[in-house]
Amino acid sequence: MSGHLIRGVMAYRSLLFVPGSRPDRFDKAAGAGADAVCIDLEDAVPPDGKDAARGAAITALDGRFGLRVNAVGTADSEGDLAALNGAKPVFVMIPKAASAADVNAVRAACDAPLWPIVESAEGLYAAWDIAAAPGVKGVLFGGADYAADLGCTMAWEPLFHARGVLTAACARAGVELLDVPHLDIADEADLIASTQRIKAMGFTGRACIHPSQIAPVHAVFTPTEAEIARARRVLDAFEAAGGGAALLDGKLIEKPLIRAAMRTLEHVGDA
């Protein structure tokens, strides 16, 4: 899979979901260009299709796919975790994560990197512990279910607090953070604008529900040549000043700007 480097490891700008009940779409999804592809056994699969979807998904785990299992504590989750014995998903997504104990329950069943999904008030309350739980590589904000839990809309303002808490929790834990997919596939302008907003907040990527969303999301999360050049100049000026305060283009360069420049270069493996 593609991706970019953060702290020396591959990070996901985009994650594309594909229904576990549609194995005919697995190969197409894998070739769509997303940094990660996740076969979904939860929301995208009707109750009477869980067993068949699970079997198709486990068979397809060939190093290209992650897997979203069903919520911990459900009968479907027990079947999913039992089926993971010996399987090799790239990662496992944990929906409805409400505590670090939910993460630990999945970790006991497999050793793949874990991606809990915070999508409730209870999950947000435990976000610091969830993000820092052993085995967690990143967190996905499940904004649609979160909004339903609170009885609010998915507009920017009602979800701003949750996004702020999650960016802080994931930054503290040193893990990635992906935002909820943009649900209006036809509105590319708003996809780009909202993705720019979440990037500015500290999100590292975004989930996608259609291949057409991947390129716009990548364009936002991939540093431009101008941003890369600026970051290099900032670090060069800082080094030339012996690690102290420096001036660049008449502006003072201090440690916060140094950290921002290093993050930019980490995205391209140049820091």
Side-chain angles (χ1 to χ4, degrees):
M1 288 186 181
S2 56
H4 60 175
L5 288 166
I6 294 180
R7 291 179 289 275
V9 298
M10 296 305 294
Y12 301 148
R13 297 163 297 179
S14 63
L15 178 144
L16 180 65
F17 283 107
V18 59
S21 55
R22 294 300 305 270
D24 56 306
R25 295 184 181 178
F26 291 174
D27 287 341
K28 184 176 180 180
D35 287 346
V37 179
C38 185
I39 299 175
D40 184 11
L41 296 181
E42 194 215 12
D43 285 347
V45 180
D48 61 358
K50 297 287 188 182
D51 289 342
R54 182 185 302 119
I58 295 299
T59 300
L61 295 180
D62 56 3
R64 297 181 296 168
F65 303 104
L67 186 70
R68 175 157 75 170
V69 296
N70 288 278
V72 172
T74 64
D76 290 319
S77 173
E78 293 177 4
D80 296 341
L81 297 185
L84 278 173
N85 184 25
K88 298 294 183 181
V90 176
F91 56 85
V92 175
M93 285 204 140
I94 310 168
K96 312 295 189 295
S99 67
D102 289 343
V103 178
N104 294 336
V106 178
R107 187 166 184 254
C110 69
D111 60 1
L114 303 178
W115 279 83
I117 308 175
V118 172
E119 46 191 334
S120 66
E122 187 69 22
L124 188 68
Y125 182 74
W128 301 88
D129 293 333
I130 290 172
V136 171
K137 180 180 186 287
V139 172
L140 172 65
F141 176 41
D145 283 277
Y146 177 83
D149 193 37
L150 268 63
C152 67
T153 71
M154 287 187 66
W156 179 256
E157 291 81 3
L159 299 186
F160 181 78
H161 170 70
R163 287 186 169 111
V165 170
L166 289 173
T167 53
C170 289
R172 175 178 176 268
V175 300
E176 299 174 52
L177 175 61
L178 303 184
D179 198 33
V180 59
H182 191 274
L183 299 183
D184 188 347
I185 296 172
D187 194 347
E188 183 175 307
D190 191 57
L191 167 65
I192 293 171
S194 60
T195 303
Q196 289 170 335
R197 279 183 164 185
I198 63 168
K199 179 188 177 184
M201 287 194 71
F203 280 72
T204 58
R206 186 164 202 171
C208 301
I209 54 174
H210 192 274
S212 66
Q213 297 178 326
I214 297 169
V217 167
H218 283 189
V220 172
F221 280 104
T222 303
T224 65
E225 290 299 323
E227 290 170 336
I228 295 169
R230 170 70 180 178
R232 287 174 178 155
R233 291 184 66 219
V234 166
L235 293 185
D236 288 345
F238 182 67
E239 183 177 351
L247 287 176
L248 179 64
D249 300 332
K251 297 180 181 180
L252 183 65
I253 298 173
E254 294 182 305
K255 287 185 178 180
L257 288 179
I258 301 303
R259 292 179 64 187
M262 292 179 68
R263 283 196 297 270
T264 295
L265 296 182
E266 283 176 347
H267 290 328
V268 293
D270 197 25

